Amino acid sequence: MFVQATESSTGVSHDVARLGRLVRGLPETALVVDAITGLGTTDLQPDEWGLDIVIGGSQKALMVPPGLAFLGVSEKAWKLIERSKLPRFYFNLARERKAQSKSEVSFTPATTLVVALHTALEYIRSMGREKLIANAAMLAEATRAAASALGLGLFAESSPANALTAVSAPAGMDSGAIIKELRARFGAIVANGQGSMKGKIFRIAHLGYYDAPDMFALIASLEIVLTKLGHTCELGAGVARAQEVYLGFVEQEAQAAQAGRP
Amino acid sequence: MFVQATESSTGVSHDVARLGRLVRGLPETALVVDAITGLGTTDLQPDEWGLDIVIGGSQKALMVPPGLAFLGVSEKAWKLIERSKLPRFYFNLARERKAQSKSEVSFTPATTLVVALHTALEYIRSMGREKLIANAAMLAEATRAAASALGLGLFAESSPANALTAVSAPAGMDSGAIIKELRARFGAIVANGQGSMKGKIFRIAHLGYYDAPDMFALIASLEIVLTKLGHTCELGAGVARAQEVYLGFVEQEAQAAQAGRP
């Protein structure tokens, strides 16, 4: 079974923990989780939840340029892989595991990116993986609150991802115009929708090194752009909601830290 | 038909021009040339020779870190690709061609390496592609001459590649010992044989930015290492042969340049 943990074209989050419970009871099925944007933005417990293969990429919350993918494989999945007769060459994981057991690799890797990844992982370890995830969750929650305050709809209302937020453009306004203005006026880069969603949504990232000031700046810029494009909204209203979410988060963190002390 | 232009595990060169003439007459067959080490070290004329797919990598004569591959596709191959029912996803070239026609890509590429490749290609264009190839050919010829002067055998005697030279270790000497000493004494990195050739050959690279002084230094270092390990050879004998090849090459270049002038 193949699923995304979170989905970067729409900002949707999937309940992989529940899927893991279902698949755990099926001996012939592995749960393969594309966690490219999920890794470092969402709590993932591969062993506890029965996620058999979890795939990450260098270019999202790990803050490294694109070019690397990596995956964790459960013992259950290894057994299926060893029996599998599907044709594969570069994706021969058994061969790669054997090579890595000798500190080698099956094929020439992008060595400079591996070195960059090492540095990024050291940084994440120094801050704590949970803080990286909590930061994305806070930015996402604050952005959703701001979007609502500005009268904008959310694409993934019931199950939003932490990695990014997909915001609907106001009725009759092309999201491409918002994106263009943000970039031209403020050098702020947000992404358009893909495929059938092009022109309908714009996507704001929250992962990795994005921080609260980045978010405040983007929301304030967005308020100006929307106003210029004819959407009625109160300047500062989105920022104020985001600030409240931020302060609530900081307060919670402080309480948790205090509770953790003797 | 799949073939390497030159083969980096053994330093063998293949006659892809002749293979191209054979395959050109077969409408249902494409000639796919792995030119990872061949590109920029060997004359390749894809259109003239009927090479249908020529595959290059960033990490060899193109002097960029590993992580990128790219390929040129003939019209004949495109027609076969369009009809092919073989399962593929990342290797769906028709999809990639369509995306590139819109200045997009099908999947997230290693952007930093693409930028580095651009710079490398500008450098190669400024010097001339033929000079890049001629440099590798000269270094390879000089290295072969030096190896012979030192009493060492060549693995690919009848059809050597320009990209690298695979040299046999003296009888009874493990090539790993030579490699280790070169690295420990001189910081010089040469590669061991792979698989069944491990311990039997060592491989000296000539591609990309390797130049004559690199080669002189390596041969002189090799002479010392061989002597220390008990192989009898005359110090400087290999270097002298390499110098002669270099001077012959420079002379030829000068004559060619003069002949080109009015």
Side-chain angles (χ1 to χ4, degrees):
Chain A
M1 178 182 284
F2 294 85
V3 67
Q4 281 91 14
T6 72
E7 217 284 295
S8 61
S9 71
T10 54
V12 169
S13 173
H14 292 134
D15 191 347
V16 292
R18 193 190 290 186
L19 290 171
R21 283 196 295 275
L22 291 172
V23 172
R24 202 189 271 280
L26 306 171
E28 294 299 305
T29 305
L31 179 57
V32 180
V33 180
D34 165 356
I36 306 282
T37 55
L39 203 68
T41 64
T42 306
D43 185 30
L44 291 170
Q45 305 288 344
D47 296 334
E48 290 76 1
W49 298 355
L51 315 182
D52 292 306
I53 298 189
V54 178
I55 306 166
S58 55
Q59 78 275 28
K60 301 289 185 180
L62 291 174
M63 300 167 276
V64 170
L68 291 182
F70 28 81
L71 39 81
V73 181
S74 72
E75 279 309 313
K76 179 182 171 185
W78 278 121
K79 289 203 180 80
L80 292 169
I81 287 165
E82 277 153 21
R83 276 170 39 207
S84 169
K85 298 272 184 265
L86 285 171
R88 58 268 173 88
F89 188 70
Y90 290 108
F91 291 126
N92 188 333
L93 300 187
R95 177 178 170 169
E96 181 63 29
R97 177 153 80 157
K98 195 175 161 195
Q100 291 201 6
S101 74
K102 296 184 283 186
S103 296
E104 292 176 1
V105 283
S106 294
F107 301 101
T108 306
T111 45
T112 48
L113 293 175
V114 173
V115 173
L117 180 64
H118 179 74
T119 299
L121 290 173
E122 278 183 337
Y123 171 66
I124 292 170
R125 179 169 284 181
S126 75
M127 75 152 82
R129 194 175 49 166
E130 296 73 17
K131 290 224 165 170
L132 185 72
I133 293 171
N135 177 64
M138 180 275 288
L139 295 177
E141 187 187 335
T143 301
R144 293 195 298 270
S148 299
L150 300 175
L152 301 174
L154 297 170
F155 183 79
E157 202 145 353
S158 64
S159 185
N162 294 335
L164 76 157
T165 299
V167 183
S168 301
M173 190 184 292
D174 189 312
S175 64
I178 299 169
I179 291 159
K180 206 173 156 187
E181 278 290 298
L182 276 171
R183 183 159 195 167
R185 280 181 186 272
F186 303 111
I189 296 174
V190 304
N192 207 326
Q194 293 178 313
S196 63
M197 295 314 296
K198 195 168 175 177
K200 295 183 182 158
I201 59 173
F202 57 96
R203 298 177 293 149
I204 301 170
H206 313 306
L207 36 69
Y209 45 63
Y210 286 95
D211 64 5
D214 288 333
M215 172 194 52
F216 297 146
L218 183 72
I219 293 169
S221 304
L222 177 63
E223 290 174 353
I224 290 168
V225 164
L226 288 171
T227 303
K228 285 282 176 192
L229 291 173
H231 174 72
T232 307
C233 66
E234 190 193 340
L235 289 178
V239 175
R241 283 295 295 122
Q243 289 168 312
E244 286 163 23
V245 171
Y246 169 77
L247 288 170
F249 170 78
V250 169
E251 181 64 26
Q252 272 188 346
E253 290 258 291
Q255 284 174 5
Q258 206 143 26
R261 288 198 199 101
Chain B
M1 178 181 286
F2 295 86
V3 68
Q4 281 90 15
T6 71
E7 217 284 295
S8 61
S9 70
T10 55
V12 169
S13 172
H14 293 133
D15 191 348
V16 292
R18 193 189 291 187
L19 290 171
R21 284 196 295 274
L22 291 173
V23 172
R24 202 190 271 281
L26 306 171
E28 295 298 306
T29 305
L31 179 57
V32 180
V33 180
D34 166 356
I36 306 283
T37 56
L39 204 68
T41 65
T42 306
D43 185 32
L44 291 171
Q45 306 288 345
D47 297 335
E48 289 75 2
W49 298 356
L51 316 183
D52 293 305
I53 298 189
V54 177
I55 306 167
S58 54
Q59 77 275 26
K60 300 289 185 180
L62 292 173
M63 300 167 275
V64 171
L68 292 181
F70 28 82
L71 38 83
V73 182
S74 72
E75 279 309 313
K76 179 183 172 186
W78 278 121
K79 290 205 178 78
L80 293 169
I81 287 165
E82 277 153 20
R83 277 170 38 208
S84 169
K85 299 272 183 267
L86 285 172
R88 58 266 172 91
F89 188 70
Y90 289 109
F91 291 126
N92 187 334
L93 300 187
R95 177 179 171 169
E96 181 62 30
R97 178 154 80 156
K98 195 175 162 195
Q100 290 201 5
S101 74
K102 296 184 283 186
S103 296
E104 292 175 3
V105 282
S106 294
F107 301 100
T108 306
T111 46
T112 47
L113 293 175
V114 174
V115 172
L117 180 64
H118 179 72
T119 299
L121 290 173
E122 278 182 336
Y123 170 65
I124 291 170
R125 179 169 286 182
S126 75
M127 76 154 82
R129 195 175 48 165
E130 296 73 17
K131 291 223 166 174
L132 185 72
I133 293 171
N135 177 64
M138 180 274 288
L139 296 178
E141 187 187 335
T143 301
R144 293 194 298 269
S148 299
L150 300 174
L152 301 174
L154 298 169
F155 183 79
E157 201 146 353
S158 65
S159 184
N162 295 335
L164 75 157
T165 299
V167 183
S168 302
M173 190 184 292
D174 189 312
S175 63
I178 300 170
I179 291 160
K180 207 172 155 187
E181 277 290 298
L182 277 171
R183 184 160 194 165
R185 280 181 187 270
F186 303 110
I189 295 173
V190 305
N192 207 326
Q194 293 178 313
S196 63
M197 296 313 296
K198 195 168 175 177
K200 296 182 181 159
I201 58 173
F202 57 97
R203 299 177 291 149
I204 302 170
H206 314 303
L207 36 69
Y209 43 64
Y210 284 96
D211 64 4
D214 288 334
M215 173 195 51
F216 297 146
L218 183 73
I219 293 170
S221 304
L222 177 63
E223 290 173 352
I224 290 168
V225 164
L226 288 170
T227 302
K228 285 282 176 191
L229 291 172
H231 175 72
T232 308
C233 67
E234 191 192 339
L235 289 178
V239 175
R241 283 294 296 125
Q243 288 168 313
E244 286 163 22
V245 171
Y246 168 78
L247 287 170
F249 170 78
V250 169
E251 181 63 27
Q252 272 189 345
E253 290 258 290
Q255 285 174 3
Q258 206 143 25
R261 286 196 202 104

